[in-house]
Amino acid sequence: MQPVLSVRGVGKTYGSGHRALESVDLDIHRGEIFALLGPNGAGKTTLISIICGIVNPSSGTILVDGHDAIRDAREARSRIGLVPQELSMDMFSTVWATVTFSRGLFGKSPDRAYCEQVLRDLSLFDKKDTPVRMLSGGMKRRVLIAKALAHEPQILFLDEPTAGVDVSLRRDMWRLIGSLRERGTTIILTTHYIEEAEEMADRVGVIDKGQLLLVEQKDALMKKLGKREMHVTLAEPLDAIPAELADWQLTLEDEGHGLLYRFDAQAERTGIPSLLRRMSDLGIGFTDLDTSKSSLEDIFVDLVERR
Amino acid sequence: MKGFNFNGVLAIYRWEMARTGRTLWQSVVAPVITTSLYFVVFGSAIGSRMQSVDGVAYGSFLVPGLIMLSLLTQSISNAALGIYFPKFTGTVFELLSAPVSAIEMVIGYVGAAASKSVLIGLIILATSALFVPLRIDHVWAMLAFLLLTALTFSLFGFIIGIWADGFEQLNVVPVLVVTPLTFLGGAFYSIKDLPEPWHTVSLFNPVAYLVSGFRWSFFGKGDISLGWSLGFIALFLAACLGVVVWIFRTGYRLKS
């Protein structure tokens, strides 16, 4: 199937000489949720801004649903909605005025029923005649989303959608993203909160220093790079790891009160039963066991720091 | 871009007119008060000692100059603020990411700014009628001058708005350039009455051509021939259009 968004060799060098983006290749599938992860200044916003036409690329081509983003900008842009990171809106106009303005700006004829539905979905309908400046920060962010959805885009970009947003609004946001996906909207989000990508995304891309390091199915990535750990709390502290347990490559932690065992989650045999048997043979007692999966965050930190 | 985004132009135009609507009180009342003050000061206090200029009663003679003064400053500051404000608040991202071509953006913003200043011009004209007898020999020419000047200087203001980095720069051109040029361009007197070398110097003042042409449409005579006046407006309009085309082609100060 043709990707809904195809980025080929897109690079950006700013006038100051700063190279914000190396040559990036990326295909986004129709209807997926794609999370772009990366530290501050990695090039996430630059990449999004180029795709949306706010920043001119230094090189490369972009196809939106088969339309060239520069030569056929009108077709390409009318398919994209952007929710920026900053809460930038005209503060003096009403919610209704700013949302209908966005719809018109993107070339759609007025549709009262549709705009009302967008506001209802975002719990903004009772605020529709309120000036934007009277709204709370979370509400303002909802207005930005309503503006981006006003022209019925096929692709929605969310740049750090939950930065500085409280827990309940974050939950709402996730629910909204889920329901948009059900309606077939492709969603591309950038985030610092890795649990967000872990919970929502179908695929994950990691970007750092202007380079796309990897693009992978989230589940496959977590399986491939994820490690599991077992913490054993000992009944009696040990001074050193006994030689009989060398095979398991254990680490002593908590000043001898605990053992750490790292194992590959994908392996046939985890080695846990044999380890526990050997420990009881040696008379090493334990009071607690705890196993954990490494999160996407661990994987991410590992990837970025390894460079 | 192919086609024409009519809904987009309409959205920008309506948005800008709504901005005017929010400050309607200030937009309408301010020119009425200013015009009245000019008539009290120039028309009654000074005008009573002046019989007529070029065969026209001094009070009536003032009308075209007063309208031109407001038309120029209002067109520039409206259009400049219209495009500067989104840059200042960051909302310009939406304009840049929208399927709106440069020409559509200019029609929306400049059209709205020019509409507002034509409206203000007509308000001043109506206010003048309360103080002095109005005489307009060439109504259509007067309206055409009003419209063309409003459009040209709104375009000029649009350029200033894109160029400006701060609020004070928005005011530099209207206050330091346009207002002095209008005062010196014969808004309140005929430059023909100036002694040499000031008469010749005044011929280098672009605003003199606008005021003169506009005055011709009222009284059938101006300081400078009608052809020169029209030629000047056309030239300035073309120059502003050229700069706007260049701005959008290069992304100057709008896109990096």
Side-chain angles (χ1 to χ4, degrees), chain A residues 60-87:
Chain A
T61 54
I62 294 155
L63 290 182
V64 182
D65 203 14
H67 299 279
D68 187 284
I70 291 170
R71 268 183 291 115
D72 204 1
R74 206 187 287 280
E75 288 298 323
R77 291 178 182 190
S78 61
R79 286 166 167 74
I80 295 179
L82 168 64
V83 182
Q85 201 171 329
E86 308 287 335
L87 291 174

Side-chain angles (χ1 to χ4, degrees), chain A residues 12 14 52-56 71-74 77-78 82 84 88-90 92-93 97-98 100-102 104-110 144 147, chain B residues 1-5 7-9 11-12 14-15 19 22 85 89-91 93-101 104 109 250-251 254-256:
Chain A
K12 176 66 185 178
Y14 283 103
C52 295
I54 300 169
V55 169
N56 292 323
R71 268 183 291 115
D72 204 1
R74 206 187 287 280
R77 291 178 182 190
S78 61
L82 168 64
S88 31
M89 264 180 296
D90 187 304
F92 300 103
S93 58
T98 194
T100 49
F101 168 73
S102 295
L105 197 62
F106 279 75
K108 293 270 182 187
S109 42
L144 276 177
K147 279 168 74 69
Chain B
M1 290 191 209
K2 279 172 267 172
F4 188 81
N5 184 352
N7 286 315
V9 172
I12 295 175
R14 282 214 182 118
W15 179 263
R19 198 168 60 83
R22 282 201 294 272
F85 207 61
T89 57
T91 54
F93 86 86
E94 197 182 16
L95 278 174
L96 295 178
S97 68
V100 177
S101 69
E104 289 155 0
Y109 276 103
T250 59
L254 279 176
K255 275 191 189 189
S256 46

Side-chain angles (χ1 to χ4, degrees), chain B residues 178-199:
Chain B
V178 176
T179 306
L181 285 182
T182 316
F183 271 83
L184 298 175
F188 305 115
Y189 54 87
S190 166
I191 60 170
K192 280 196 288 198
D193 294 346
L194 287 176
E196 286 297 348
W198 300 113
H199 176 246

Side-chain angles (χ1 to χ4, degrees), chain A residues 145-179:
Chain A
I145 297 176
K147 279 168 74 69
L149 292 174
H151 66 280
E152 304 164 53
Q154 293 178 14
I155 306 173
L156 183 68
F157 281 93
L158 293 153
D159 198 359
E160 302 281 350
T162 51
V165 156
D166 66 26
V167 178
S168 81
L169 184 55
R170 265 168 87 176
R171 286 279 151 200
D172 282 359
M173 207 79 85
W174 292 0
R175 231 187 355 257
L176 175 78
I177 291 171
S179 73

Side-chain angles (χ1 to χ4, degrees), chain B residues 17-242:
Chain B
M17 291 312 271
R19 198 168 60 83
T20 307
R22 282 201 294 272
T23 54
L24 195 65
W25 190 240
Q26 179 202 328
S27 314
V28 176
V29 173
V32 171
I33 291 181
T34 317
T35 314
S36 308
L37 285 176
Y38 275 117
F39 275 112
V40 170
V41 174
F42 286 105
S44 306
I46 299 172
S48 59
R49 286 149 208 246
M50 293 177 70
Q51 268 69 53
S52 62
V53 181
D54 226 2
V56 179
Y58 187 63
S60 305
F61 177 84
L62 276 179
V63 175
L66 279 179
I67 295 176
M68 204 41 96
L69 177 65
S70 292
L71 201 62
L72 298 187
T73 48
Q74 288 286 331
S75 298
I76 293 177
S77 57
N78 274 328
L81 197 66
I83 189 68
Y84 179 74
F85 207 61
K87 274 187 5 174
F88 177 73
T89 57
T91 54
V92 72
F93 86 86
E94 197 182 16
L95 278 174
L96 295 178
S97 68
V100 177
S101 69
I103 189 76
E104 289 155 0
M105 215 184 283
V106 169
I107 293 173
Y109 276 103
V110 172
S115 303
K116 187 186 171 185
S117 29
V118 166
L119 210 67
I120 290 173
L122 294 176
I123 291 172
I124 295 176
L125 190 66
T127 312
S128 311
L130 301 177
F131 290 90
V132 293
L134 272 191
R135 179 186 135 194
I136 306 170
D137 286 0
H138 308 277
V139 176
W140 291 111
M142 190 277 286
L143 289 176
F145 259 108
L146 201 66
L147 203 65
L148 260 174
T149 311
L151 269 178
T152 306
F153 280 78
S154 296
L155 207 53
F156 185 48
F158 186 80
I159 295 167
I160 292 172
I162 286 177
W163 162 78
D165 261 341
F167 277 102
E168 69 273 28
Q169 285 182 340
L170 285 183
N171 284 324
V172 164
V173 177
V175 172
L176 292 186
V177 181
V178 176
T179 306
L181 285 182
T182 316
F183 271 83
L184 298 175
F188 305 115
Y189 54 87
S190 166
I191 60 170
K192 280 196 288 198
D193 294 346
L194 287 176
E196 286 297 348
W198 300 113
H199 176 246
T200 311
V201 169
S202 295
L203 293 178
F204 288 96
N205 178 353
V207 178
Y209 293 80
L210 294 173
V211 172
S212 170
F214 197 46
R215 192 168 283 145
W216 172 86
S217 68
F218 279 77
F219 310 120
K221 51 191 152 191
D223 300 340
I224 300 159
S225 80
L226 186 63
W228 277 105
S229 290
L230 286 174
F232 172 74
I233 298 190
L235 193 74
F236 199 59
L237 184 62
C240 289
L241 277 174

